[in-house]
Amino acid sequence: MSRICQRIRTEFEAWRTRDLSGVRLDYLFLDGSHFRMHQGAPAEPVLAAWGIDTDGKPVFAGLAPASSESTDAWDDFLGDLVARGLRAPLLGISDRAPGLCGAFDRTFRTSLRQRCLVHRARNVIAKVSKHDQDEVKADFWAIFDVGDAEPGDAAIAIANRQAAEFAAKWKTRYPAAVDCVTDDLTSLTVHLRFPAEHWKRIRHSNFIERTFGETRRRVKVIGRLPGERS
């Protein structure tokens, strides 16, 4: 077991320092998940980057521990990817964590950024009574169902109109939930500028959440990792 772990450690060190100059990403998914990595410390984030390259293939781009999801932590994480040759993606997909968003915008100035619709849907539903949650959730997702609209301004115009209908229906009963949609609608519809066959994959960060879900399932039986190397 010790030999296996050492080999994995050696392979991981080579992977995390590898040259990324040959990687061409259309989409970059970023997120962090928390694990207990140090004695007596609370759960701390592991930052991760998954991408989809220009051939449509998934690329696991980066993984690193951090003490928090701060601006400095994300700046360092993304800066390392760039230093190893990673070029700016067309689109970044993440939640609205201020540290992450700020670091992404500074590092990839030419890239667009899509706010994760799944995270935003959770924010909306959290402000709605249980009785109406299913209906509000369905109406939220209907905002971004623009049928066969042409990607770009035409699709976004339909989504904006449907968001206005959502607001008109629910603003009296759930104004805070409506604000979750309307206050930052622009960042929720960026994916509609890209090919329609990609919309359902790039409008949320579930692509990276699946990795974290499996990792948490495996780590759960351990309780606490003996260190960040683990």
Short mmCIF file of all heavy atoms in Angstrom, two decimals, residues 154-185:
data_model
loop_
_atom_site.label_atom_id
_atom_site.label_comp_id
_atom_site.label_asym_id
_atom_site.label_seq_id
_atom_site.Cartn_x
_atom_site.Cartn_y
_atom_site.Cartn_z
N ALA A 154 -31.07 36.93 -30.18
CA ALA A 154 -32.46 36.47 -30.32
C ALA A 154 -32.84 35.56 -29.16
O ALA A 154 -33.92 35.71 -28.56
CB ALA A 154 -32.61 35.73 -31.65
N ALA A 155 -31.97 34.62 -28.81
CA ALA A 155 -32.26 33.70 -27.70
C ALA A 155 -32.31 34.45 -26.38
O ALA A 155 -33.17 34.18 -25.53
CB ALA A 155 -31.20 32.60 -27.66
N ILE A 156 -31.39 35.37 -26.19
CA ILE A 156 -31.35 36.14 -24.94
C ILE A 156 -32.60 37.01 -24.80
O ILE A 156 -33.14 37.17 -23.69
CB ILE A 156 -30.07 36.98 -24.88
CG1 ILE A 156 -28.85 36.05 -24.71
CG2 ILE A 156 -30.11 37.98 -23.73
CD1 ILE A 156 -27.52 36.74 -24.79
N ALA A 157 -33.09 37.57 -25.90
CA ALA A 157 -34.29 38.39 -25.85
C ALA A 157 -35.49 37.58 -25.38
O ALA A 157 -36.32 38.05 -24.59
CB ALA A 157 -34.57 39.00 -27.23
N ILE A 158 -35.59 36.33 -25.85
CA ILE A 158 -36.69 35.47 -25.41
C ILE A 158 -36.56 35.16 -23.92
O ILE A 158 -37.54 35.20 -23.17
CB ILE A 158 -36.70 34.17 -26.23
CG1 ILE A 158 -37.03 34.46 -27.69
CG2 ILE A 158 -37.69 33.16 -25.65
CD1 ILE A 158 -36.90 33.26 -28.61
N ALA A 159 -35.34 34.85 -23.48
CA ALA A 159 -35.12 34.57 -22.05
C ALA A 159 -35.46 35.79 -21.20
O ALA A 159 -36.07 35.66 -20.12
CB ALA A 159 -33.68 34.15 -21.82
N ASN A 160 -35.09 36.97 -21.66
CA ASN A 160 -35.41 38.19 -20.91
C ASN A 160 -36.92 38.39 -20.82
O ASN A 160 -37.43 38.80 -19.76
CB ASN A 160 -34.77 39.40 -21.60
CG ASN A 160 -33.26 39.44 -21.43
OD1 ASN A 160 -32.71 38.79 -20.54
ND2 ASN A 160 -32.58 40.18 -22.27
N ARG A 161 -37.62 38.12 -21.89
CA ARG A 161 -39.08 38.26 -21.86
C ARG A 161 -39.71 37.25 -20.90
O ARG A 161 -40.62 37.58 -20.14
CB ARG A 161 -39.65 38.06 -23.27
CG ARG A 161 -41.16 38.28 -23.34
CD ARG A 161 -41.69 38.22 -24.75
NE ARG A 161 -41.62 36.86 -25.31
CZ ARG A 161 -40.84 36.50 -26.30
NH1 ARG A 161 -40.03 37.39 -26.87
NH2 ARG A 161 -40.84 35.26 -26.75
N GLN A 162 -39.20 36.03 -20.92
CA GLN A 162 -39.73 35.00 -20.02
C GLN A 162 -39.36 35.29 -18.57
O GLN A 162 -40.13 34.96 -17.65
CB GLN A 162 -39.22 33.63 -20.48
CG GLN A 162 -39.84 33.24 -21.81
CD GLN A 162 -39.28 31.98 -22.45
OE1 GLN A 162 -39.88 31.45 -23.38
NE2 GLN A 162 -38.15 31.49 -21.98
N ALA A 163 -38.22 35.94 -18.35
CA ALA A 163 -37.86 36.35 -16.99
C ALA A 163 -38.82 37.43 -16.49
O ALA A 163 -39.19 37.45 -15.30
CB ALA A 163 -36.43 36.87 -16.96
N ALA A 164 -39.23 38.32 -17.38
CA ALA A 164 -40.19 39.36 -17.01
C ALA A 164 -41.53 38.73 -16.65
O ALA A 164 -42.21 39.18 -15.71
CB ALA A 164 -40.36 40.36 -18.17
N GLU A 165 -41.92 37.68 -17.37
CA GLU A 165 -43.17 36.98 -17.05
C GLU A 165 -43.05 36.27 -15.70
O GLU A 165 -44.01 36.25 -14.91
CB GLU A 165 -43.48 35.97 -18.16
CG GLU A 165 -43.81 36.63 -19.50
CD GLU A 165 -43.86 35.64 -20.65
OE1 GLU A 165 -43.57 34.43 -20.40
OE2 GLU A 165 -44.17 36.06 -21.77
N PHE A 166 -41.89 35.70 -15.43
CA PHE A 166 -41.64 35.07 -14.12
C PHE A 166 -41.78 36.11 -13.01
O PHE A 166 -42.43 35.86 -11.98
CB PHE A 166 -40.24 34.47 -14.12
CG PHE A 166 -39.80 33.90 -12.79
CD1 PHE A 166 -40.01 32.57 -12.48
CD2 PHE A 166 -39.15 34.70 -11.85
CE1 PHE A 166 -39.60 32.04 -11.26
CE2 PHE A 166 -38.73 34.18 -10.63
CZ PHE A 166 -38.96 32.84 -10.34
N ALA A 167 -41.19 37.28 -13.23
CA ALA A 167 -41.24 38.34 -12.22
C ALA A 167 -42.67 38.81 -11.99
O ALA A 167 -43.09 39.03 -10.85
CB ALA A 167 -40.35 39.50 -12.66
N ALA A 168 -43.41 38.99 -13.07
CA ALA A 168 -44.79 39.46 -12.94
C ALA A 168 -45.65 38.46 -12.17
O ALA A 168 -46.54 38.85 -11.39
CB ALA A 168 -45.38 39.70 -14.33
N LYS A 169 -45.38 37.18 -12.36
CA LYS A 169 -46.17 36.14 -11.70
C LYS A 169 -45.87 36.04 -10.21
O LYS A 169 -46.78 35.85 -9.40
CB LYS A 169 -45.91 34.80 -12.39
CG LYS A 169 -46.67 33.63 -11.76
CD LYS A 169 -46.42 32.34 -12.53
CE LYS A 169 -47.14 31.16 -11.90
NZ LYS A 169 -46.92 29.90 -12.68
N TRP A 170 -44.58 36.22 -9.83
CA TRP A 170 -44.18 35.88 -8.46
C TRP A 170 -43.73 37.07 -7.61
O TRP A 170 -43.49 36.91 -6.42
CB TRP A 170 -43.05 34.86 -8.49
CG TRP A 170 -43.43 33.55 -9.06
CD1 TRP A 170 -43.06 33.02 -10.26
CD2 TRP A 170 -44.29 32.55 -8.45
NE1 TRP A 170 -43.61 31.77 -10.44
CE2 TRP A 170 -44.36 31.46 -9.35
CE3 TRP A 170 -44.99 32.49 -7.24
CZ2 TRP A 170 -45.12 30.32 -9.07
CZ3 TRP A 170 -45.74 31.36 -6.97
CH2 TRP A 170 -45.80 30.29 -7.87
N LYS A 171 -43.65 38.26 -8.18
CA LYS A 171 -43.04 39.37 -7.43
C LYS A 171 -43.86 39.79 -6.21
O LYS A 171 -43.28 40.24 -5.21
CB LYS A 171 -42.83 40.57 -8.34
CG LYS A 171 -44.09 41.20 -8.88
CD LYS A 171 -43.74 42.39 -9.79
CE LYS A 171 -45.00 43.03 -10.37
NZ LYS A 171 -44.66 44.16 -11.28
N THR A 172 -45.16 39.63 -6.26
CA THR A 172 -45.98 40.01 -5.11
C THR A 172 -45.79 39.05 -3.95
O THR A 172 -45.65 39.47 -2.79
CB THR A 172 -47.47 40.05 -5.50
OG1 THR A 172 -47.65 41.01 -6.54
CG2 THR A 172 -48.33 40.45 -4.30
N ARG A 173 -45.73 37.77 -4.26
CA ARG A 173 -45.62 36.76 -3.21
C ARG A 173 -44.19 36.52 -2.75
O ARG A 173 -43.93 36.34 -1.56
CB ARG A 173 -46.23 35.44 -3.71
CG ARG A 173 -46.43 34.42 -2.60
CD ARG A 173 -47.08 33.15 -3.13
NE ARG A 173 -48.36 33.44 -3.78
CZ ARG A 173 -49.12 32.53 -4.38
NH1 ARG A 173 -48.70 31.27 -4.42
NH2 ARG A 173 -50.24 32.87 -4.94
N TYR A 174 -43.26 36.54 -3.70
CA TYR A 174 -41.86 36.23 -3.37
C TYR A 174 -40.91 37.24 -4.02
O TYR A 174 -40.14 36.89 -4.92
CB TYR A 174 -41.51 34.81 -3.83
CG TYR A 174 -42.38 33.73 -3.24
CD1 TYR A 174 -43.24 33.00 -4.05
CD2 TYR A 174 -42.37 33.45 -1.88
CE1 TYR A 174 -44.05 32.01 -3.51
CE2 TYR A 174 -43.18 32.47 -1.34
CZ TYR A 174 -44.02 31.75 -2.16
OH TYR A 174 -44.84 30.77 -1.62
N PRO A 175 -40.92 38.48 -3.56
CA PRO A 175 -40.06 39.49 -4.19
C PRO A 175 -38.57 39.17 -4.07
O PRO A 175 -37.81 39.47 -4.99
CB PRO A 175 -40.42 40.77 -3.42
CG PRO A 175 -41.02 40.31 -2.13
CD PRO A 175 -41.74 39.04 -2.46
N ALA A 176 -38.15 38.57 -2.96
CA ALA A 176 -36.73 38.24 -2.80
C ALA A 176 -36.30 37.18 -3.82
O ALA A 176 -35.20 37.24 -4.36
CB ALA A 176 -36.45 37.76 -1.38
N ALA A 177 -37.17 36.21 -4.06
CA ALA A 177 -36.86 35.17 -5.05
C ALA A 177 -36.78 35.77 -6.45
O ALA A 177 -35.90 35.41 -7.24
CB ALA A 177 -37.92 34.07 -5.01
N VAL A 178 -37.68 36.68 -6.75
CA VAL A 178 -37.66 37.34 -8.05
C VAL A 178 -36.39 38.15 -8.22
O VAL A 178 -35.77 38.15 -9.30
CB VAL A 178 -38.91 38.22 -8.23
CG1 VAL A 178 -38.77 39.13 -9.46
CG2 VAL A 178 -40.16 37.36 -8.34
N ASP A 179 -35.96 38.83 -7.16
CA ASP A 179 -34.72 39.61 -7.23
C ASP A 179 -33.52 38.73 -7.55
O ASP A 179 -32.58 39.16 -8.23
CB ASP A 179 -34.48 40.34 -5.91
CG ASP A 179 -35.43 41.51 -5.70
OD1 ASP A 179 -36.07 41.93 -6.68
OD2 ASP A 179 -35.52 42.00 -4.56
N CYS A 180 -33.53 37.49 -7.07
CA CYS A 180 -32.44 36.56 -7.36
C CYS A 180 -32.29 36.32 -8.86
O CYS A 180 -31.20 36.06 -9.35
CB CYS A 180 -32.70 35.22 -6.67
SG CYS A 180 -32.20 35.15 -4.95
N VAL A 181 -33.41 36.41 -9.56
CA VAL A 181 -33.39 36.20 -11.01
C VAL A 181 -33.07 37.49 -11.76
O VAL A 181 -32.21 37.53 -12.63
CB VAL A 181 -34.74 35.64 -11.50
CG1 VAL A 181 -34.76 35.53 -13.02
CG2 VAL A 181 -35.01 34.29 -10.86
N THR A 182 -33.75 38.56 -11.40
CA THR A 182 -33.67 39.78 -12.20
C THR A 182 -32.43 40.63 -11.91
O THR A 182 -31.97 41.36 -12.79
CB THR A 182 -34.92 40.64 -11.98
OG1 THR A 182 -35.05 40.97 -10.57
CG2 THR A 182 -36.17 39.89 -12.43
N ASP A 183 -31.88 40.53 -10.71
CA ASP A 183 -30.74 41.39 -10.36
C ASP A 183 -29.48 41.05 -11.14
O ASP A 183 -28.61 41.90 -11.32
CB ASP A 183 -30.44 41.29 -8.85
CG ASP A 183 -31.44 42.06 -8.02
OD1 ASP A 183 -32.31 42.73 -8.61
OD2 ASP A 183 -31.36 42.01 -6.78
N ASP A 184 -29.35 39.83 -11.59
CA ASP A 184 -28.13 39.42 -12.29
C ASP A 184 -28.48 38.56 -13.50
O ASP A 184 -27.78 37.60 -13.81
CB ASP A 184 -27.22 38.65 -11.32
CG ASP A 184 -25.79 38.55 -11.84
OD1 ASP A 184 -25.39 39.40 -12.64
OD2 ASP A 184 -25.09 37.60 -11.46
N LEU A 185 -29.54 38.93 -14.19
CA LEU A 185 -30.03 38.12 -15.29
C LEU A 185 -29.01 38.01 -16.41
O LEU A 185 -28.90 36.97 -17.06
CB LEU A 185 -31.34 38.71 -15.83
CG LEU A 185 -32.04 37.92 -16.93
CD1 LEU A 185 -32.40 36.51 -16.45
CD2 LEU A 185 -33.31 38.66 -17.39
#
